Amino acid sequence: MVTLTKSICWRTVVKSKDINRIGVVIYQKPTSNSCYTERKNNEPPLCSGSNGHSPWYTPLDSCLLLPALSKSGAGNSWPISWPERLNIRSSTSSENSSTWFSQENFDSDTKNWNGLISEVYSSEFAVNWSSIRNVMDMNAGFGGFAASLIDRPLWVMNVVPFDQPDTLPIIFNRGLIGVYHDWCESFNTYPRTYDLLHMSYLLQSLANRCDIIEIAAEIDRILRPGRWFVLQDNIGMIRKMDRVLRSLHYKTAIMRRQFLVARKSFWRPDSTGS
């Protein structure tokens, strides 16, 4: 173990034994790249530029990812303090340099969600926000939906679908929480279900890979009885989901031809299937 930790540049911080005489060792990972570049043997090797950034179904690799450097190149820098970091896109939050990840798109997304929450979600939807404790954003993007709810007494689980742009580093740098997921598979909700599920412009891509009934069943499983599902999408996808949710005895309303607000009932099919 000593040889291995030295080869990956970990520093031994504490080496001791507990009251049961069981050994305890605490290691610290370096914050700069100097140790990696000065190693006599490049073993384990450093990862290439493309290694380590595929979020889903990626085989384990024995290479080392270098720590992200600050602009000065001196090593990792502390993130901007909370809550200022909530509305700032960190320059090191994503290595993708495409225009989709630009500061302009980030700012536009933040402004868009602030406006939608204050002008539409809070005032027009039949949602009792005071009763909501936890929310799941099923297609989180930059995390703008969660950021716009930051002043409310609730928390948001941001989900980045595996086949969408990898924005999870940006979400983390904003001080928010999140995970990757494939919505054609079951989501591990242990130990909780949710008061509100939110899906924005994801249903079309999902429907190309899995059945909309399966998606609705997963939404129904995650959502608490008496709580809400909000879908933002084109009117065609909204009507398809509306029919499925009505068959599950949800109370639904289509708003502005781009929103579906559905409330789950306490209904469950009996033994006859009615």
Side-chain angles (χ1 to χ4, degrees):
M1 189 66 180
V2 173
T3 302
L4 174 61
T5 54
K6 284 185 177 180
S7 69
I8 61 177
C9 297
W10 287 6
R11 181 175 70 89
T12 301
V13 179
V14 174
K15 188 175 184 180
S16 182
K17 292 183 179 180
D18 63 15
I19 58 175
N20 297 316
R21 309 299 295 172
I22 298 176
V24 176
V25 183
I26 299 176
Y27 298 99
Q28 183 180 43
K29 181 179 178 179
T31 57
S32 69
N33 294 340
S34 59
C35 174
Y36 298 105
T37 57
E38 294 171 0
R39 293 184 304 166
K40 293 181 179 180
N41 298 315
N42 188 32
E43 188 63 37
L46 299 178
C47 297
S48 64
S50 61
N51 286 102
H53 299 289
S54 179
W56 203 253
Y57 291 141
T58 301
L60 292 176
D61 204 340
S62 58
C63 64
L64 297 174
L65 279 172
L66 292 177
L69 295 178
S70 63
K71 290 183 178 180
S72 66
N76 284 342
S77 59
W78 287 103
I80 299 171
S81 299
W82 177 268
E84 288 78 12
R85 63 189 294 192
L86 184 65
N87 293 311
I88 296 177
R89 179 195 177 279
S90 170
S91 60
T92 60
S93 58
S94 177
E95 294 192 359
N96 194 315
S97 59
S98 70
T99 56
W100 197 91
F101 288 82
S102 68
Q103 183 68 49
E104 181 180 359
N105 281 358
F106 177 88
D107 293 340
S108 176
D109 180 78
T110 300
K111 181 179 179 180
N112 174 64
W113 282 115
N114 285 337
L116 281 176
I117 292 298
S118 62
E119 298 171 13
V120 180
Y121 283 60
S122 299
S123 59
E124 296 187 20
F125 292 174
V127 174
N128 182 6
W129 287 96
S130 63
S131 68
I132 293 176
R133 296 164 294 173
N134 61 343
V135 177
M136 179 184 289
D137 190 359
M138 301 173 69
N139 186 25
F142 292 120
F145 175 76
S148 66
L149 296 172
I150 201 64
D151 292 328
R152 298 177 183 268
L154 54 81
W155 61 272
V156 180
M157 172 60 74
N158 295 282
V159 181
V160 176
F162 84 103
D163 57 348
Q164 298 296 308
D166 182 11
T167 53
L168 193 57
I170 295 176
I171 289 171
F172 286 156
N173 274 279
R174 297 184 82 167
L176 304 171
I177 60 174
V179 294
Y180 295 114
H181 187 58
D182 179 357
W183 282 113
C184 287
E185 299 181 7
S186 179
F187 187 93
N188 184 0
T189 56
Y190 180 84
R192 59 180 56 82
T193 48
Y194 287 80
D195 290 321
L196 188 143
L197 297 187
H198 177 255
M199 181 189 290
S200 179
Y201 294 108
L202 178 65
L203 192 56
Q204 180 69 64
S205 65
L206 286 180
N208 292 332
R209 297 191 298 111
C210 47
D211 196 304
I212 193 171
I213 295 177
E214 296 174 347
I215 300 168
E218 180 66 358
I219 290 170
D220 183 73
R221 184 186 67 83
I222 297 173
L223 196 62
R224 293 188 182 105
R227 302 306 183 174
W228 297 270
F229 169 60
V230 177
L231 172 67
Q232 181 185 23
D233 217 306
N234 63 64
I235 190 63
M237 298 311 300
I238 284 176
R239 285 174 174 162
K240 288 181 180 180
M241 180 59 79
D242 181 53
R243 287 194 293 269
V244 176
L245 294 181
R246 283 178 178 271
S247 72
L248 297 175
H249 293 234
Y250 278 59
K251 293 182 179 179
T252 66
I254 297 175
M255 316 285 293
R256 298 190 172 202
R257 293 181 60 84
Q258 64 171 308
F259 298 103
L260 173 66
V261 181
R263 188 174 188 182
K264 180 178 178 179
S265 69
F266 286 82
W267 171 86
R268 277 295 177 264
D270 57 27
S271 58
T272 63
S274 60

